[in-house]
Amino acid sequence: MTIELKSISKIFAGGSAHPVLDDINLTINDNEFFTLLGPSGCGKTTLLRLIAGFEHPTSGTIELFGERVEGTPPNARPVNTVFQHYALFPHQTVAQNVGFGLRMLRRPAPEIEPEIERMLRLVRLEGLAHRYPHQLSGGQQQRVALARALAARPRVLLLDEPLSALDSKLRDEMRVELKLLQRNTGITFIFVTHDQGEALSMSDRIAVLSEGRIQQVGTPDDIYERPRSRFVAQFVGETNVFEGKLIRLPGKQPEFKTSSGALLPLGDTPADDDNPALAFVRPEKLRLGNPDDLASDPQARLRGVVTNKLYLGTDTVYYVDLEGGETLRARIQNASAIDNRFDVGAAVRVRAEEGAFRTVGRST
Amino acid sequence: MAILQRKEPHSLISFRGFGSVTGLCLFILYVPMLVLVVFSFNANRAVTVWGGFSLQWYAKAAYNGGLQNAAWNSLVVAVIATIVATAIATAAALATGRGQRFRGSQAFYMLVNLPLMLPEIIIAVGTLSFFALLGMKLSLLTIIIAHTVFCIPFAYLPIRSRLETMDARLEEAASDLYASPLDAYRHVTMPLLMPGIISGAMLAFVVSLDDFIITAMVAGAGSGTLPVYVYTQLKQGVTPEINAISTVLLAVSIVLVAASYFVAKAGSKHVRPATEQP
Amino acid sequence: MPELIPAPEPKREKFPKSRLLLLPAVLVIGFFLVLPLVIIITYSFLVPATFGGVVWQFSTEAYTQFLFERDIFDETLAFNAAYLQIFLRSVMLAVSATVVSLIIGFPTAYFIATRPDRQKNLLIFLITLPFWTNLLIRTFCVLLILRDDGLVNSIAIGLGLYSTPVTYLYNDFAMGAGLVYSYLPFMILPLYANLERMDRRVVEAAYDLYATPRRVFTEVILPHARPGIVAGSLLVFIPSLGTFLVPDMLGGGGKLLIGNLIQLQFGSSRNWPFGAALAVILLAAILVVLMLAARRSRVPDTAERR
């Protein structure tokens, strides 16, 4: 076990009484790519800063490799950070930046030089050792920040939205590189982001945070397919949400009756939720069909009218107003020209895959 | 001044005539100084009648004993006041950090800026009364003390503004990379703060060099600085020699301020991260 | 996509020890500036000693003297407007200088603020430079060009506007000109700092919504610039009100303003308590102006702040 957080709370002095972090319990394993995902202000960066040692918890304990570190200053923790805007030392060259940690650890100079070269090779910046940060592009600065944080061989690398300042193409490339880097070095990565795409694509496990609380911890698949709260369902990926109640009739599959009266087919009985009040479905799990063609299909009981459509290239998103009044989004892949065939105003039936509708409780 | 006349008919943001006013403004600010400089090279004894180019007044000024003494006093006062004021201002800037609020922060910022807010004549008579009350004999020392006080805000402001543009995370990054607080201060904070300190020191120096009224009030016999000397001479009549001395004083201020400006500017590209915040 | 709402500013732990570094500044300014102010106030309630300095004996004579004249023989008080007039003339001149500086300074600051970066930096540097040069010498420069045989008269006579030199010096005009010349940069710098931060798109939006240039100026730009106008006006008004060099050199000594009246009391008149009282009156006037300005500069819009 790399990191163990127990009942961590953080209230900023002089701030509002509302805690920034509220009773956080979290275990992060060795060699794990762990992501803290949440909207801005959810406390994810504060949590990272607690682990780095820039802030101290109001209550609770932090264990790094079995040792309590709440009072330990950042320079005494085997943890390094890649900052959101990199925080490269502007008055030092790339090489000096990368070697900073080793110099502070008072390693002998002959040891530092080859280490700097090794790190620059690792992030493919060999030719730029004597440049200054302001002479580098955003992507290059990002690599310097990575090399600098990795040079002293930390056991845990903290990354605070490291991709947020890059343009989208570079961001996609860096996702692959970061993942590879983590696998090759075997260092535990703790990655903070508000971008669910980043979180889903890179992480071994994700913790979703909202308003200072952990909403759910799990693998990307868990988080996306089996969200346990309305927040997680809506924050991660796109979702259609319906309010209503569960109907169980003996000998029949449970159904969900929306407040407008539509009946949604549920797969299995929701196990972990005794009184679900919300049903949701991912837009890409829906299909649209001619009302007549699907009349007898038990999975296609919803009927409506297409009110808008957004052509996105790979997919088309249809907005369908259901008979009960709810609006539903369906994302249909444009695998062939035929898929893109319903016009605004067309009457359609919506077909959901078996088990596509899921439920969560109202309170969450 | 070509840039003042350039017309940009399609720019909505500009107003007609504002460029001309700017030209007039620069004209007002610079023509009187230009007249002084031109006539300092005048061969003619008459102050405002041109009689050909000459450096004689500069030569004459250079051998003037009273002037040499005043120049030496100016230098001693400015150097000591600058060093002390800059040290005090740097300490204060480090303590106030990036303008965080703390108990009494409002009062502190008011106190530091007080020398800027008060008319000089009030500071002058106040300081004079203070020394009189203490029974201190007016001398170079009293001038140095008075100068140190009003130099502090001039040194403080550039250092403080430098600190404000410095990314707070740089110090965190240093400590994250195993720097002790002292290491972080030595290897990160100080090198980055240096342009601000130099710039502040230069401004303090200029302000000390230029001050007249406070100095005149607290100067003892024989301890007058250059402006006090110039004033005394002026009261006896305007001479071309005064033009020459004044020109030198102007030049010194302008060179120092320009240098301070460029030091601060050259340093600033090192401060902001190349990637702008979103 | 970058976060639209920045995360709350990371607050840093307090290190009370570092506050000790404030101590030198507090001590030096407190001891050598605040204490002297207290002494000035004290002195204003004392009796003058014969050769300068004070006698430690309570008296309000210094303040009485500001408004009244004591008859040498029967000690009766008669109203004497002479000092009040000097004070009012100082205020009038300072106000005039502030208004003229604003009229010249606003278009200048606006023009500079709307230039491309490189021009902007050069122009503002040119405005700043005189601010740092020697005030005595700059006042002397005004003297040089306003003299009977100075530049202004030479040019005017050269152009045939008139044939005998006009006396520009040693009157209110000369002093006003000197004040504007001395403190004009003080008006431009805060105005520039304010206008430079203004979002140009706000102006464009106003035009887009059918505003005429005049209304854009009065309803968009002026309200935005108000804090800058207040700050600039204060920075011109305060030193103008207390000026010593301008009346001393350009007023020719005959035209007193409060600044050189104070100096005179500590100098040749050797009436320190009266000088101290005048300084207190000047200080009080400035305090009143500052308080009025603090109330006025409180603007409702704080939304636009980069």
Side-chain angles (χ1 to χ4, degrees), chain C residues 91-280:
Chain C
V91 173
M92 284 312 296
L93 265 177
V95 169
S96 316
T98 307
V99 172
V100 174
S101 298
L102 183 61
I103 291 170
I104 302 173
F106 193 95
T108 305
Y110 186 88
F111 180 80
I112 296 175
T114 52
R115 292 293 89 191
D117 271 359
R118 287 183 61 116
Q119 292 180 20
K120 194 152 71 174
N121 288 340
L122 173 69
L123 286 171
I124 207 65
F125 178 66
L126 286 176
I127 299 289
T128 321
L129 212 48
F131 166 90
W132 295 105
T133 52
N134 199 308
L135 194 59
L136 168 68
I137 291 170
R138 294 180 63 221
T139 313
F140 169 48
C141 291
V142 177
L143 183 87
L144 274 185
I145 64 161
L146 290 185
R147 281 155 64 107
D148 287 357
D149 56 353
L151 191 71
V152 176
N153 272 322
S154 310
I155 290 176
I157 292 172
L159 290 175
L161 293 180
Y162 46 79
S163 54
T164 46
V166 172
T167 306
Y168 291 111
L169 276 179
Y170 311 133
N171 52 31
D172 286 357
F173 167 78
M175 291 198 284
L179 288 177
V180 171
Y181 177 66
S182 299
Y183 300 121
L184 186 54
F186 287 50
M187 176 64 82
I188 297 174
L189 293 176
L191 272 175
Y192 166 78
N194 172 291
L195 290 169
E196 210 254 330
R197 277 199 317 264
M198 188 180 73
D199 188 344
R200 286 158 180 246
R201 287 165 297 190
V202 174
V203 172
E204 289 168 0
Y207 277 118
D208 186 50
L209 296 165
Y210 317 111
T212 59
R214 177 185 298 271
R215 310 235 8 215
V216 168
F217 189 76
T218 54
E219 293 189 26
V220 176
I221 296 169
L222 273 185
H224 182 280
R226 205 160 90 178
I229 293 174
V230 172
S233 300
L234 283 178
L235 286 181
V236 175
F237 182 80
I238 292 175
S240 294
L241 191 60
T243 178
F244 164 75
L245 280 172
V246 163
D248 188 70
M249 293 178 70
L250 305 175
K255 288 275 192 178
L256 284 174
L257 294 184
I258 190 156
N260 55 336
L261 183 61
I262 293 172
Q263 189 271 344
L264 212 57
Q265 303 313 311
F266 281 85
S268 49
S269 294
R270 296 179 195 276
N271 190 343
W272 287 28
F274 184 48
L278 290 169
V280 171

